[in-house]
Amino acid sequence: MRTEEMKVINTMRNTVSLKLVEKAAKGNREAFGELIIMHQEYLYKLAYMYTKNEQDALDAVQECAMRAMISMDKLREPAYFKTWITRILINSIYLAQKKSRKDSPFEEYSEAAPEMPISIEEKTDLYDAIDLLPPACKTVVILQYFQGMKLVEIAQVMNIPVGSVKAYLFRAKKALRNQLEDREGRVLGAAVNHK
């Protein structure tokens, strides 16, 4: 498709989405259901980036939808529905993780599948390193690099200034670089010492 056709299609989608948000905010459950269906793939992928587990991601999306439906009347600006529901999803995930840590001292790991051409070992190292980041840094990394959000959008989702997003991103990159270089050094050192 040409760029002009894509712009027209996106404009039409945004108009339909905005009308659905307005109806849902007035209590129309069918409109809310359509909104969730429109955003379910996005929500699932985002949840999976945090949970790295299919069932946990599905549970997070379900919890998010329930919380969003209950508080739909609190959405102030219909144009920011996606930002609003993203915030609800992230908060739902963090709440579930806190509860899970209290229930079980051990966390299960399963590998997520990014769309990058890297080895399984590199993917595992990257995801393990991202998991070690503080929550705000982890959120910024996932939203920018895995969801393709702009800094301004991330600031809206996290309800913080853009400068704070930049600072978290800087800290996250530095921490990831250090963690990954440290792991690589240990692996190479072990391999050299083994010979």
Side-chain angles (χ1 to χ4, degrees):
M1 265 187 226
R2 296 192 319 234
T3 306
E4 296 148 13
E5 291 172 344
M6 288 301 296
K7 287 181 183 177
V8 170
I9 289 171
N10 285 334
T11 301
M12 288 174 29
R13 280 186 191 151
N14 291 339
T15 303
V16 168
S17 180
L18 193 56
K19 287 180 182 179
L20 286 172
V21 172
E22 290 169 353
K23 286 180 181 179
K26 292 177 183 174
N28 185 323
R29 290 181 183 249
E30 288 179 19
F32 181 79
E34 287 182 50
L35 281 170
I36 294 300
I37 290 169
M38 285 175 68
H39 293 89
Q40 69 184 0
E41 184 178 348
Y42 161 76
L43 293 170
Y44 173 76
K45 286 180 179 179
L46 181 59
Y48 192 84
M49 288 304 307
Y50 278 91
T51 63
K52 296 178 191 60
N53 176 291
E54 183 178 346
Q55 189 57 51
D56 290 345
L58 291 170
D59 290 346
V61 172
Q62 184 176 4
E63 178 72 17
C64 170
M66 184 188 73
R67 288 173 184 253
M69 186 174 70
I70 291 169
S71 59
M72 190 67 199
D73 60 332
K74 294 183 177 104
L75 175 62
R76 291 184 214 124
E77 182 58 51
Y80 294 116
F81 175 79
K82 188 172 181 180
T83 300
W84 178 77
I85 201 159
T86 299
R87 185 180 303 146
I88 291 172
L89 178 67
I90 292 170
N91 287 338
S92 296
I93 292 167
Y94 281 135
L95 286 172
Q97 287 176 342
K98 282 181 184 177
K99 183 181 175 196
S100 148
R101 280 188 214 117
K102 289 178 185 175
D103 294 345
S104 170
F106 302 104
E107 291 183 38
E108 294 181 25
Y109 270 85
S110 68
E111 184 188 344
E115 298 178 15
M116 293 182 275
I118 59 175
S119 73
I120 292 174
E121 293 81 14
E122 290 170 325
K123 288 178 192 177
T124 302
D125 287 347
L126 176 62
Y127 286 114
D128 287 347
I130 290 171
D131 280 343
L132 294 174
L133 292 174
C137 292
K138 180 178 178 178
T139 296
V140 170
V141 167
I142 290 173
L143 293 178
Q144 182 169 45
Y145 294 108
F146 294 95
Q147 295 300 321
M149 286 189 173
K150 296 178 178 151
L151 296 177
V152 173
E153 295 171 322
I154 296 169
Q156 291 171 342
V157 166
M158 296 179 71
N159 200 26
I160 59 175
V162 174
S164 297
V165 173
K166 290 178 182 178
Y168 286 133
L169 190 58
F170 176 80
R171 287 185 210 138
K173 286 180 182 178
K174 184 176 179 182
L176 288 172
R177 191 177 306 112
N178 289 340
Q179 289 175 31
L180 294 173
E181 286 174 356
D182 183 45
R183 282 185 188 188
E184 188 176 300
R186 282 184 289 168
V187 169
L188 288 175
V192 169
N193 291 334
H194 182 67
K195 288 183 179 183

